[in-house]
Amino acid sequence: MILMRKIDYYGQLILISCMLLSIPIFYFFGVGAGLFFLGCWQIISALANTPAFVHSGHKKKITIYWILCIADLLLIAVIFLFEHALTENVILVIFWIAIGTAVFIAVYYLRIYHRLIELLSLRDELDGLTKSKH
């Protein structure tokens, strides 16, 4: 299971790297598309790993992640639901706040996910050591 988590983690890192390297070529369209795919990937990853976060003592960190995700999705929903009632400038401000927050959330998830992988790897290593001594 650790191997799958590491593949998942490094895949997300590769996607973020490609997203940032695409800025000179695709400007912010590449970042937007990459951020959309990364966000979807991270939500699926977080759904699969939330029980592991909770059982390893990182419940507060994953709860913060979910709260931030819901808040960011609500910002995007406000844009679509009140598109006709809001001025173009207000829509742009909300949009850029949502994009900036999404980048922050993506980096936050990668950070806590890396800590989870390290903790689980250490636990597996310690379990192996204690089993080999008996």
Side-chain angles (χ1 to χ4, degrees):
M1 193 63 153
I2 293 293
L3 179 63
M4 291 301 294
R5 285 189 172 110
K6 285 183 179 181
I7 291 170
D8 178 30
Y9 174 77
Y10 287 114
Q12 291 179 35
L13 276 180
I14 290 169
L15 183 57
I16 264 188
S17 300
C18 291
M19 191 173 81
L20 294 176
L21 292 174
S22 74
I23 291 175
I25 300 167
F26 298 114
Y27 302 106
F28 290 107
F29 297 111
V31 173
L35 196 56
F36 173 76
F37 289 118
L38 182 64
C40 293
W41 186 346
Q42 283 188 342
I43 286 175
I44 293 168
S45 175
L47 282 171
N49 289 307
T50 294
F53 277 106
V54 171
H55 292 294
S56 67
H58 290 89
K59 182 179 180 180
K60 184 177 179 181
K61 292 176 183 174
I62 196 67
T63 303
I64 290 170
Y65 168 77
W66 284 116
I67 290 170
L68 291 172
C69 279
I70 291 168
D72 200 44
L73 290 172
L74 285 174
L75 279 177
I76 294 169
V78 163
I79 292 172
F80 287 109
L81 292 174
F82 301 107
E83 179 181 8
H84 299 294
L86 300 172
T87 64
E88 186 176 334
N89 290 336
V90 172
I91 290 173
L92 284 173
V93 167
I94 294 171
F95 173 77
W96 285 110
I97 289 172
I99 294 298
T101 306
V103 170
F104 168 76
I105 293 168
V107 171
Y108 176 76
Y109 181 73
L110 283 173
R111 195 168 143 233
I112 65 171
Y113 194 30
H114 186 265
R115 288 184 181 171
L116 175 71
I117 292 170
E118 285 180 338
L119 178 69
L120 295 177
S121 295
L122 181 62
R123 279 189 184 170
D124 285 352
E125 190 175 319
L126 290 174
D127 285 344
L129 286 173
T130 56
K131 288 181 185 176
S132 66
K133 291 193 178 205
H134 291 283

